[in-house]
Amino acid sequence: MQRVVRSTCRGWATCQSVRAVHTSTVVQGKRLSNRKAELAAQRAAEAEAVLQAKERLRKLKDTGFLNSLAHPERLFETTQITEEDRAISLSSDSIDESGGDTVRRNADSGQYSCHVKPNEIQLITEVAPKAGGDGMFGTHFLHSPAENSPAMQGDIVRRIVALENSNAKGVVHYNIRRAVETFGRSEGDSGSAEVQAAVWTVRINQMEDHMRSNRKDHQNRRAYTKLLHKRAKMLKYLKRESLERYYVCLKQLGLTKDMVEGEILQPKHVE
């Protein structure tokens, strides 16, 4: 871009002083700086919108049912042996005769796999060892004579069935049992619309945890979308049956009406 500046004279023919001022560099620099500022403001607004959406979703999922579900990462993290635990255990002389340390975590969350109820675990760990006396369980696998006591044997059984020592599949079964107990309209009810929607929600949450760690698992991404459609179909049926039960179920599952009645697209990734 070139701008010609004519000097003040009476006629163009007699005017000899002509100046050429190059302004293209200055104008282009201003445009680039303005564009950069606009892009930075746009990115900041998008980041703020994402944070607000995550905060709304967190508050929406802060329900009694969802908080009562067991999470594999939190459960399995409590069973990891840290250096502090090992030091405490070694300082308390918890070393067996063979010289190996017997560091154990409590696994005392009160949650049990294999459909074991708290009253049943009390019967197994407290009543049965006392009734059977010493040597009720085989002692060939025990490392020390102290572990042959009824109390220690009951604690061993409790650790075996504890949910912390189960696998991810066992945690899902426990959460499904919690869904049936929470949403069942009667004892043993596992077929009502609320229970089915809660079971789908448990499986959807498990799939979300898997997809956060495996972003390129496209096959399960499609399966995740199918689960969303199944839950939406069940909740739409519940809405036709009872509007009051529909909104109560939405609130307990941490959902909104748009998540059920709106368009469900296959997500590129799960946050």
Side-chain angles (χ1 to χ4, degrees):
M1 178 178 179
Q2 190 178 40
R3 184 176 62 187
V4 178
V5 181
R6 300 181 178 86
S7 61
T8 56
C9 55
R10 294 184 177 181
W12 171 255
T14 58
C15 181
Q16 300 295 330
S17 61
V18 178
R19 290 185 303 158
V21 181
H22 294 273
T23 61
S24 58
T25 304
V26 179
V27 174
Q28 186 177 5
K30 289 183 178 180
R31 289 178 179 175
L32 287 176
S33 61
N34 293 337
R35 181 58 179 168
K36 289 181 180 179
E38 292 175 0
L39 290 175
Q42 183 179 357
R43 293 191 189 99
E46 291 176 354
E48 183 67 22
V50 170
L51 292 177
Q52 292 179 359
K54 288 183 178 180
E55 182 64 20
R56 288 194 300 268
L57 185 62
R58 186 192 64 80
K59 292 181 179 179
L60 187 66
K61 291 186 176 295
D62 188 13
T63 65
F65 168 68
L66 295 179
N67 292 333
S68 66
L69 297 180
H71 197 278
E73 292 183 359
R74 292 196 295 267
L75 279 174
F76 299 155
E77 185 181 13
T78 60
T79 62
Q80 300 298 320
I81 305 300
T82 62
E83 294 298 329
E84 181 180 359
D85 298 324
R86 188 175 297 277
I88 293 174
S89 178
L90 294 177
S91 63
S92 60
D93 297 329
S94 60
I95 302 178
D96 59 9
E97 296 176 354
S98 61
D101 53 1
T102 58
V103 182
R104 297 187 182 91
R105 298 304 295 263
N106 291 330
D108 54 357
S109 65
Q111 300 171 335
Y112 304 99
S113 59
C114 305
H115 298 276
V116 178
K117 298 180 181 179
N119 58 346
E120 296 174 344
I121 200 65
Q122 183 180 5
L123 176 65
I124 295 173
T125 59
E126 297 181 7
V127 180
K130 294 179 181 178
D134 294 339
M136 178 182 177
F137 302 102
T139 59
H140 61 278
F141 63 91
L142 301 177
H143 298 286
S144 63
E147 293 180 344
N148 196 22
S149 64
M152 183 61 70
Q153 291 178 3
D155 188 65
I156 291 173
V157 175
R158 182 186 62 82
R159 292 174 186 275
I160 292 174
V161 298
L163 193 62
E164 288 88 343
N165 294 323
S166 179
N167 54 9
K169 189 175 181 180
V171 175
V172 173
H173 288 169
Y174 172 83
N175 290 336
I176 291 176
R177 190 169 73 251
R178 288 285 303 166
V180 173
E181 293 173 356
T182 304
F183 290 88
R185 304 180 64 185
S186 61
E187 186 177 358
D189 177 22
S190 60
S192 61
E194 297 97 320
V195 174
Q196 293 296 315
V199 171
W200 292 130
T201 301
V202 169
R203 297 194 178 277
I204 286 171
N205 292 343
Q206 179 210 11
M207 192 72 71
E208 287 178 350
D209 294 337
H210 171 77
M211 293 178 62
R212 289 190 187 99
S213 303
N214 304 272
R215 290 181 173 268
K216 294 187 178 181
D217 192 352
H218 302 297
Q219 183 176 1
N220 278 323
R221 185 157 56 93
R222 182 174 179 272
Y224 170 76
T225 308
K226 292 174 66 176
L227 289 179
L228 292 178
H229 282 279
K230 287 182 178 181
R231 183 179 65 180
K233 184 178 180 180
M234 186 62 64
L235 289 173
K236 288 177 183 177
Y237 165 77
L238 179 61
K239 182 180 180 181
R240 293 194 301 268
E241 293 294 319
S242 174
L243 194 62
E244 181 181 358
R245 288 164 53 194
Y246 168 73
Y247 282 109
V248 170
C249 187
L250 284 185
K251 185 177 180 180
Q252 291 180 336
L253 295 179
L255 303 173
T256 61
K257 186 173 65 174
D258 295 336
M259 294 179 180
V260 176
E261 302 176 7
E263 185 179 8
I264 300 176
L265 301 176
Q266 184 170 345
K268 294 183 178 180
H269 55 82
V270 177
E271 295 294 341

